[in-house]
Amino acid sequence: MGLTHRKSDTVATLPKSEVIRAKEIYRMYIRNLGRVVLGLSALSTPLVAHSAVTDKADLAIQKQLKSPSSKGWSAVIVRTKGAPTAAQEAAITALGGDIYRHLPIINSLAVRIPSRNMASLALLSFVSRLSSDMEVRKYDEFTIQHTGADTARSDFGLTGKGITVAVMDSGIQSKLYDFNEGAKSKQSRVLGGISFVSKAENDSDDCGHGTHIAGIVAGNGTYAIEANGIHTTKGIADQANLVSIQVLDKNGQGTVSNVIAGLQWSIDNRIKYNIRVLNMSLGHPVGESYTTDPLCQAVETAWKAGIVVVCAAGNNGRLNAAQVAGVGNEGWGTNYGSIQSPANDPYVITVGATKNRDGNRANDRIATYSSRGPSRLDYILKPDIIAPGNRVISLEVNNSTLQNSYAATNSVPRSYLYGSSQSGVSLCYFYLSGTSMAAPVVAGAAALLIQANPNLTPDSVKARLMVSADKWLTTDGTGDALTYGAGYLNIPAALNCNVVATQYALSPTLLFDSASQKLSLDPKLWSSQAIWGTQAIWGTQAISGTQAIWGAQAIWGTQAIWGNQAIWGNQAIWGNQAIWGTQAIWGDQAIWGSTSSAVDLTSTAISGEN
């Protein structure tokens, strides 16, 4: 995606001594790069320079610095120690940097800089972190009946009315009937929004992805109802309000800095629009710890400001490019450690996708492409929950990228919507698949919980959704926390749950102990004496209890996470074919390799599976 750049209009005194020092160290660094080997202390000065650079950089920039180029430009998010000053901006400009966006939410600047000056930038004393401003991409009856949203309406009288869900995506085509107040009203429930995409209107959607997401959250099915449709096309919270935060272009592409700017906007406008929930069906590969990832730090700020942030887990759950008989995950193999950013952050609610096999919820299965935990680098137990996400019917945008590319395979037959006598396809509704579709199901559920109890904090919403989820097992009856999280979304059960979080409901961390592999849990939150009570999320006494979140074949069982066929087994996460193997995320074909991609606009995600 092309970036829109602007020169900083700040005038300041240039700290020449610091820039000169940085350039000198950079020259020493380049001269000795071929001889610097981590762990050797003989080359003290070059090694210090090398360490000073790499310690501040994410994996993509580290790789770039190992093979520095004298040509080209790099887009980078520069985090400073405190709010950046005019003098600091001038120092960056002196290195050829073009500051194209200020990111006050995380004390950072988005900078386009000559690649040859990256090390000099890192060595400026006020720079605390460098992260790639990489590309992010977008990752009904099924959703309604298989989550209990219909019961939320009929028995609880909840529709999300008065609650606003922000959709951070490719925009929302706000003029569609299904976003109006009702069949006889022309008043749109899309209250407003903003676009961070060049020349885009904030009430349009040239891609079609964001509108589909918004329909899953809050579409009211007006068009199908007025046409006497025999199938419903409503969203989970069909009377909720929406705001559009457009950060993706017509191809579903954007940058981290755009997304962070959108998060800042959502915080600044949360009171004006009553924004209580934010859906993010987008992401990028994990390149650094969530503790330094700019996008993760920004979503945490939104969470702490009182906004429930719901993130798609990603669509990278398949280990192999083709099905192989006898291999798990329906022959595709399981790609553990494939959660995307910002879904790897322990604060947010991370959602995996299920698929409908025969109309019976009890027979629903995980979509083979749904990303699995733990999170890369930090080993956070993800996803948090699973929800319907495969071949979901929602709103279509005419002449959008998705319609133009996939109308032949993803248009909804009129016979399905209006009866067998109808021919052709609908121009209003469309099938899409992926965790991108599962996340707004949970976002809609969160809106229902908040409508029922407006005083709920994001942490209590997360806790109630996870505690009440139906525990889900593999087809052989075993549990897999890194696939199903806390289990399958159950909205009526969540509405009947009275758990209250007394602190941040962080997803727990997996701790590898060579003596006894175990989960590291915060005893103040996850123990039986904490917010979960005697029927705690991890069991009555500990994670291994039979009433625990993972069911009778709990996480410590022989067939569970630590068992022979589990995450640490020969064919599992540490194996030759697994996450750490030669074809895995650290290998040459890994996340930063030439074949890596975070794209979920592929045939797998778009068309789904049976």
Side-chain angles (χ1 to χ4, degrees), residues 26 34 36 62 130 195 216 228 243 334 339 369 468 483 511 560 572 595:
Y26 174 69
V36 172
Q62 287 182 32
L130 296 179
S195 175
I216 296 171
N228 297 315
V243 294
T334 305
I339 300 291
Y369 51 75
S468 62
T483 294
L511 177 65
T595 62

Side-chain angles (χ1 to χ4, degrees), residues 102-121:
H102 289 74
L103 304 170
I105 189 175
I106 55 171
N107 290 331
S108 297
L109 302 165
V111 178
R112 184 174 182 262
I113 192 168
S115 299
R116 65 180 181 276
N117 290 340
M118 186 72 78
S120 297
L121 178 64

Side-chain angles (χ1 to χ4, degrees), residues 81-136:
K81 299 173 182 177
T85 66
Q88 290 169 350
E89 291 188 23
I92 293 172
T93 302
L95 293 175
D98 176 6
I99 300 172
Y100 56 87
R101 190 178 293 283
H102 289 74
L103 304 170
I105 189 175
I106 55 171
N107 290 331
S108 297
L109 302 165
V111 178
R112 184 174 182 262
I113 192 168
S115 299
R116 65 180 181 276
N117 290 340
M118 186 72 78
S120 297
L121 178 64
L123 289 166
L124 292 174
S125 63
F126 58 82
V127 173
S128 63
R129 188 72 184 174
L130 296 179
S131 302
S132 303
D133 190 8
M134 65 180 69
E135 187 175 82
V136 293

Side-chain angles (χ1 to χ4, degrees), residues 35 88 99 103 107 123 129 138 171 222 227 231 248 273 302 362 379 381 389-390 396 442 464 481 508 531 543 587 610:
R35 296 187 289 119
Q88 290 169 350
I99 300 172
L103 304 170
N107 290 331
L123 289 166
R129 188 72 184 174
K138 59 191 185 308
T222 292
H231 288 90
L248 305 179
Y273 294 112
Y379 311 114
L381 181 55
N390 192 67
E396 179 179 22
V442 174
R464 292 186 181 192
I531 65 168
I543 198 168
N610 296 324

Side-chain angles (χ1 to χ4, degrees), residues 45 54 77 156 180 238 263 328 337 355 401 406 526 537 589 606 608:
T45 301
T54 57
I77 294 175
F156 294 85
N180 289 346
D238 63 311
L263 286 162
K355 59 182 178 181
T401 297
Y406 298 100
W526 301 105
I537 202 166
Q589 299 302 314
I606 292 295

Side-chain angles (χ1 to χ4, degrees), residues 154-379:
S154 61
D155 295 3
F156 294 85
L158 298 172
T159 60
K161 190 174 182 62
I163 307 302
T164 300
V165 179
V167 175
M168 181 172 289
D169 213 280
S170 61
I172 300 176
Q173 180 57 266
S174 61
K175 296 179 177 64
L176 297 179
Y177 291 145
D178 286 22
F179 292 136
N180 289 346
E181 291 282 359
K184 297 181 180 181
S185 171
K186 295 183 179 180
Q187 181 64 42
S188 177
R189 287 177 292 113
V190 182
L191 303 183
I194 191 170
S195 175
F196 293 95
V197 179
S198 179
K199 298 181 180 179
E201 299 292 336
N202 63 22
D203 61 349
S204 65
D205 179 10
D206 291 336
C207 177
H209 190 261
T211 301
H212 197 275
I213 296 296
I216 296 171
V217 175
N220 62 17
T222 292
Y223 188 87
I225 293 171
E226 288 190 335
N228 297 315
I230 61 175
H231 288 90
T232 61
T233 55
K234 289 185 177 182
I236 300 297
D238 63 311
Q239 287 300 311
N241 296 323
L242 296 161
V243 294
S244 171
I245 305 176
Q246 189 174 26
V247 295
L248 305 179
D249 66 10
K250 66 180 181 180
N251 297 314
Q253 301 174 2
T255 61
V256 170
S257 58
N258 279 355
V259 177
I260 293 173
L263 286 162
Q264 178 79 63
W265 186 91
S266 71
I267 294 170
D268 294 343
N269 290 274
R270 68 191 186 283
I271 296 175
K272 176 181 178 180
Y273 294 112
N274 194 30
I275 299 172
R276 299 296 304 273
V277 185
L278 172 67
N279 187 87
M280 299 181 70
S281 292
L282 51 80
H284 65 74
V286 173
E288 58 187 307
S289 167
Y290 76 86
T291 61
T292 57
D293 185 320
L295 189 49
C296 290
Q297 293 302 291
V299 296
E300 287 185 17
T301 303
W303 185 275
K304 293 173 183 177
I307 300 174
V308 178
V309 181
V310 181
C311 297
N315 298 326
N316 300 303
R318 294 177 176 179
L319 183 62
N320 304 314
Q323 287 177 292
V324 178
V327 175
N329 196 27
E330 299 184 31
W332 296 102
T334 305
N335 190 22
Y336 288 108
S338 52
I339 300 291
Q340 302 285 281
S341 171
N344 62 317
D345 191 275
Y347 284 83
V348 305
I349 302 174
T350 302
V351 187
T354 64
K355 59 182 178 181
N356 176 15
R357 297 182 64 239
D358 56 10
N360 183 352
R361 170 186 162 91
N363 294 329
D364 289 352
R365 293 184 182 177
I366 196 74
T368 62
Y369 51 75
S370 185
S371 286
R372 295 350 193 246
S375 70
R376 187 168 179 248
L377 303 179
D378 298 300
Y379 311 114

